[in-house]
Amino acid sequence: MTLLARLRSRRPMAPAQSKEDYYTASQGQLVWQRFKSNRTARAALYILLFFIFCGIFAPVLSPYDPTAAGRNADYTNGAPQIPQFCDDNGCSWRPFIHGVERYRGADTNFRWVTRQTEDRNYLTFLPAGSDYRLLGLIPMNRHIFGVEDGFIHVFGTDAQGKDIFSRTLHAIGVSIAVGSAGVMISFVLALIIGGVAGYFGGWVDTALQALMDTVKTVPTIPLFMAVAAFIPDTWSAEQRFFFISLVLGLLGWGTLARRIRTHVLAERSADYVLAAQMAGAGPGHVIRRHLLPSFTSYIIVDLVISFPYMVLAETSLSFIGLGLNDPVNSLGVMLQNVTRVDVMLNYHWYFIPVPIFVAIVLAFVFVGDGLRDAADPYAEKR
Amino acid sequence: MAAFARFVAIRFAAAMATMLLVSLIVFTLMELVPGNCAERYIAYKATQGYVVTDADIRAEEIRMGLDRPYLVRWLDWISGVFFRFQLGESCLWRVDVGQLIGDKLLISLALSGGALILTYLVSVPVGVASAALRGGWLDGSLRILSYLGLALPNFLLALAIMLVSTVWFGDTLTGLFSEEFRDAPWSWARFLDFLSNAWLPIVILGWSAMAIQIQTVRALMSDEQGKLYVTAARARGLSGWRLLMRYPARHALGPVVNSVGFDLNRIFNDLPIVAAVLILTEAGSMLLEALARSNDQQLAGAIILSMTITIVVLNFLTDVLLAIIDPRVRKGFFK
């Protein structure tokens, strides 16, 4: 045996102490142990936590206000400005970007163009900027980075001069918030409908099953579209936000309800349920206190798995103009205008948020898969 | 035989019940839109300079039959759909919806059908191969691809392809017909032109269904491969593709046939948005138009209903087909 192989084999050796731990561990501890040993899922979890952090602290991390209030009118459709340490005039320890100026002259056919100047614009740490409330409570005006003079746009700007980097960070937060709200609403509905169907069985179950099947037959996005079309134009951005979350939740409970029904159906004839019933517990008490805890881990897994679908549905709806709208940022809102040919040809930085969102959804999918494997007691190899 | 006929009859009744329930849901949704057709027609007339009173609106409502109770109107609508093949009258265009969407609905069905066929042509062999070569580099890259199928929705893929083709080829690859065929009547040349433009929407529409179906086929085949009957067949000297196709693939077939309806659902899901990105003139983009801009609830309801009917019919057909091709089910019916 080589040294390397011996070193490797030492790690999983289980002393008597850990065997004892294994048999007395709670379900949560077991699931977490199994999840940790899945390297892909663990990496995805860290990436996901990073993005959630970005979403929550978006106002601090983004240099400017993502709405029209924070726009840079002198740098519309501007290219990304990457901070650099060196230029033709030598290097510096502080990163800087070049300044820009609006210029018009004979050489540009008297059209306004934006061009770079030679002067350096140094990056600053924690400059004072636009006011915001951290976590909706603490009033602040410091941002994590900025430049000494004017603006810096790491991801470029859009047609109105809004900073795409700031918009992306806020969009991450909005998408995760819409997804969470939608998942929560559909979870409550699924719990009630699936729980009732599974617990009572008989014709109640048959009728609710028929309803679930029917709702599942209708293509979801067209149905979302039909419901989202009710939103009057006069609604504010916040009202639209809540309505869209509500719609996503109201139409997304089908799969989850079916899973809960199956679990309840499988467990309801168990002895401990019978014991509870004989002790005089009502249906609500039995479902809540006895049946639910027996499959909590599965429900959490299903919630994580259904999350990316909510985020993608919101993105699709906003993209076609039936979801969220301008003052609120989400990936769909940011992509609303990119199908124009001039954007496709000239302003490629409009597409920077796309890979970021693909990464978020992938992270959710991998975490969900890892959790599902970890929560399945039969998947374990001892 | 009698048992089979009963099975078909029960499945048919269930499909009918589903359709009725769906039509009730769609009809209710369309009813909930504020303002009815008569009010909007009269409002339009008012913008044209007519003087309009409340009595005019009531008269128009009676003419359109909008004063009848909700359930009666639903029955009227649904019986029109099933017995007279009339989907109602468009609120905006004031013509029969069938006339308005007939051609476009056919294009949608052709695109979706093409995407569905492509999905199965690709995912079944690739899924089988991926399961057979489990753990190899091919399997690994296919798994990453199918995760991408979930994380990169079809319309984002369409955007990415458009971006690449605009930058490198200077062509956005949008639309279904070339300039000269756009409004021409159907002919052989127009059909060929349609085919030459339709491959991209078909590939994009099939993208996520394909990715998910590959995963499904792979999982089913992986479960079957380790079983004893496969080992026995191998011991008798069968190997390679022949072995896979004759034994485990046939066992894995059932769930795959059953999921055709879900895949069509998935494709219809993406149709309106992909159509909006690629500027396709078909029913999906018309649905978007009806909902987002012209607010034509009759048209939107008719399109959603026809999509759902297609799925229900397909589900019914695959159920019957499965009963015929699966020997375990067939034995029960034809002794």
Side-chain angles (χ1 to χ4, degrees):
Chain A
M1 197 192 259
T2 64
L3 181 68
L4 194 69
R6 224 178 309 148
L7 277 175
R8 272 211 200 110
S9 69
R10 196 182 299 163
R11 191 162 28 102
M13 286 293 273
Q17 175 63 37
S18 90
K19 194 152 201 170
E20 166 118 17
D21 284 348
Y22 179 83
Y23 286 117
T24 55
S26 72
Q27 197 189 6
Q29 285 168 327
L30 286 175
V31 168
W32 177 238
Q33 275 302 325
R34 270 175 259 156
F35 184 82
K36 270 204 308 197
S37 60
N38 182 344
R39 223 180 299 156
T40 328
R42 210 175 51 193
L45 181 67
Y46 293 142
I47 294 172
L48 191 60
L49 289 177
F50 169 74
F51 280 127
I52 292 175
F53 174 82
C54 284
I56 292 174
F57 292 99
V60 192
L61 299 175
S62 60
Y64 308 107
D65 191 312
T67 59
R71 80 196 195 104
N72 179 357
D74 291 332
Y75 196 63
T76 55
N77 283 327
Q81 299 166 317
I82 313 294
Q84 57 199 71
F85 291 95
C86 291
D87 65 359
D88 297 340
N89 303 328
C91 292
S92 86
W93 286 111
R94 279 181 78 186
F96 61 88
I97 56 169
H98 284 293
V100 288
E101 61 173 9
R102 300 282 284 158
Y103 169 78
R104 182 162 84 155
D107 48 336
T108 66
N109 270 338
F110 298 100
R111 246 175 287 161
W112 283 109
V113 295
T114 304
R115 67 176 190 186
Q116 275 197 356
T117 56
E118 279 298 298
D119 44 309
R120 292 176 173 187
N121 198 353
Y122 288 101
L123 257 67
T124 51
F125 184 62
L126 287 179
S130 58
D131 294 327
Y132 60 89
R133 283 175 180 274
L134 187 66
L135 307 175
L137 294 171
I138 313 156
M140 284 175 77
N141 69 349
R142 295 275 162 186
H143 298 257
I144 196 109
F145 72 98
V147 282
E148 285 174 333
D149 176 36
F151 291 85
I152 174 170
H153 302 291
V154 193
F155 287 178
T157 59
D158 65 7
Q160 289 169 284
K162 290 182 284 194
D163 182 38
I164 292 186
F165 180 69
S166 307
R167 292 189 76 192
T168 308
L169 286 176
H170 282 85
I172 293 174
V174 168
S175 287
I176 291 178
V178 169
S180 316
V183 165
M184 276 306 129
I185 293 168
S186 73
F187 169 61
V188 172
L189 275 175
L191 209 56
I192 296 170
I193 297 173
V196 166
Y199 188 81
F200 291 104
W203 69 268
V204 179
D205 184 31
T206 316
L208 285 174
Q209 281 280 67
L211 184 66
M212 283 184 224
D213 280 341
T214 313
V215 173
K216 253 180 107 175
T217 323
V218 186
T220 329
I221 299 280
L223 200 59
F224 279 147
M225 286 163 57
V227 178
F230 293 154
I231 304 179
D233 296 334
T234 49
W235 279 18
S236 71
E238 288 78 17
Q239 281 172 315
R240 291 182 82 95
F241 177 89
F242 283 115
F243 186 76
I244 292 295
S245 321
L246 194 68
V247 169
L248 292 179
L250 283 180
L251 298 177
W253 50 268
T255 322
L256 198 56
R258 181 180 293 267
R259 300 266 299 182
I260 291 175
R261 168 191 168 270
T262 317
H263 287 306
V264 174
L265 210 56
E267 293 285 325
R268 71 170 175 160
S269 49
D271 286 343
Y272 67 88
V273 176
L274 187 65
Q277 279 167 339
M278 288 173 88
H285 183 86
V286 172
I287 294 179
R288 216 172 46 245
R289 299 303 300 243
H290 296 280
L291 288 176
L292 269 185
S294 72
F295 50 83
T296 321
S297 58
Y298 294 99
I299 293 180
I300 293 173
V301 172
D302 282 339
L303 287 182
V304 175
I305 288 177
S306 63
F307 204 97
Y309 291 98
M310 295 280 175
V311 173
L312 289 176
E314 182 274 321
T315 306
S316 312
L317 275 183
S318 304
F319 173 70
I320 54 179
L322 284 172
L324 305 174
N325 253 340
D326 194 22
V328 176
N329 284 293
S330 83
L331 178 68
V333 177
M334 294 179 74
L335 289 178
Q336 267 169 6
N337 293 320
V338 299
T339 46
R340 293 204 322 262
V341 177
D342 59 332
V343 173
M344 294 253 171
L345 278 175
N346 303 320
Y347 311 134
H348 299 150
W349 49 91
Y350 275 54
F351 291 90
I352 294 177
V354 174
I356 295 176
F357 269 80
V358 171
I360 294 178
V361 174
L362 269 183
F364 261 114
V365 172
F366 279 120
V367 170
D369 269 15
L371 272 181
R372 186 179 54 201
D373 291 346
D376 181 4
Y378 302 109
E380 188 172 9
K381 5 180 213 318
R382 267 191 248 163
Chain B
M1 197 63 211
F4 181 68
R6 219 181 66 199
F7 165 78
V8 172
I10 289 176
R11 286 295 309 147
F12 186 76
M16 274 303 184
T18 313
M19 269 194 227
L20 280 183
L21 203 51
V22 168
S23 74
L24 185 62
I25 293 173
V26 171
F27 189 76
T28 313
L29 274 182
M30 295 305 141
E31 278 298 300
L32 289 175
V33 175
N36 64 26
C37 252
E39 282 168 22
R40 298 188 38 228
Y41 177 59
I42 297 292
Y44 165 75
K45 276 194 132 180
T47 61
Q48 301 294 306
Y50 293 91
V51 181
V52 176
T53 61
D54 260 359
D56 288 335
I57 299 184
R58 293 292 91 79
E60 181 67 18
E61 271 180 1
I62 290 170
R63 193 191 71 75
M64 289 180 170
L66 291 174
D67 55 331
R68 292 174 299 165
Y70 159 74
L71 276 176
V72 174
R73 276 179 294 134
W74 169 61
L75 280 175
D76 190 43
W77 184 59
I78 198 66
S79 63
V81 173
F82 282 129
F83 301 122
R84 300 191 298 274
F85 299 107
Q86 278 174 352
L87 291 162
E89 193 179 70
S90 156
C91 197
L92 185 75
W93 304 92
R94 323 223 107 232
V95 291
D96 186 55
V97 171
Q99 198 183 329
L100 211 56
I101 62 172
D103 204 22
K104 299 192 165 156
L105 200 60
L106 281 184
I107 295 181
S108 302
L109 289 183
L111 289 178
S112 311
L116 199 60
I117 292 169
L118 181 75
T119 302
Y120 283 86
L121 279 186
V122 173
S123 60
V124 171
V126 171
V128 171
S130 175
L133 306 169
R134 204 142 51 126
W137 63 268
L138 180 76
D139 185 35
S141 40
L142 278 174
R143 286 197 69 180
I144 293 172
L145 194 75
S146 46
Y147 276 120
L148 263 187
L150 189 62
L152 187 71
N154 295 7
F155 79 95
L156 284 184
L157 178 73
L159 276 181
I161 290 178
M162 274 171 78
L163 179 64
V164 170
S165 85
T166 332
V167 172
W168 269 288
F169 309 117
D171 179 8
T172 51
L173 291 178
T174 53
L176 276 176
F177 297 103
S178 313
E179 201 71 61
E180 65 268 27
F181 290 110
R182 196 149 295 155
D183 296 311
W186 278 105
S187 65
W188 183 242
R190 190 176 190 240
F191 181 66
L192 288 183
D193 182 61
F194 171 69
L195 283 189
S196 70
N197 285 303
W199 64 270
L200 183 68
I202 287 180
V203 170
I204 290 175
L205 281 174
W207 158 251
S208 52
M210 211 184 304
I212 291 168
Q213 196 62 39
I214 288 178
Q215 276 291 41
T216 316
V217 174
R218 180 183 175 278
L220 287 168
M221 284 297 285
S222 308
D223 283 353
E224 290 295 328
Q225 259 174 10
K227 292 200 175 159
L228 279 177
Y229 70 89
V230 183
T231 317
R234 192 170 282 134
R236 288 199 300 275
L238 273 177
S239 65
W241 203 245
R242 210 170 127 80
L243 167 80
L244 289 177
M245 278 302 162
R246 290 213 29 191
Y247 291 95
R250 291 172 73 173
H251 266 271
L253 193 69
V256 173
V257 172
N258 247 339
S259 62
V260 174
F262 286 111
D263 281 330
L264 187 65
N265 193 325
R266 199 165 278 134
I267 290 168
F268 276 155
N269 243 338
D270 293 312
L271 190 62
I273 300 165
V274 171
V277 174
L278 292 176
I279 322 178
L280 310 177
T281 44
E282 49 75 66
S285 58
M286 212 161 172
L287 173 67
L288 181 58
E289 173 81 32
L291 286 172
R293 281 177 276 280
S294 57
N295 205 359
D296 191 337
Q297 60 250 46
Q298 264 65 29
L299 184 57
I303 294 174
I304 295 183
L305 187 67
S306 7
M307 283 180 166
T308 316
I309 288 181
T310 321
I311 295 172
V312 173
V313 168
L314 197 68
N315 275 339
F316 170 68
L317 289 181
T318 49
D319 273 4
V320 174
L321 181 72
L322 200 63
I324 296 173
I325 61 170
D326 190 331
R328 287 165 299 187
V329 185
R330 190 173 56 209
K331 288 269 165 56
F333 292 133
F334 309 96
K335 289 232 176 68

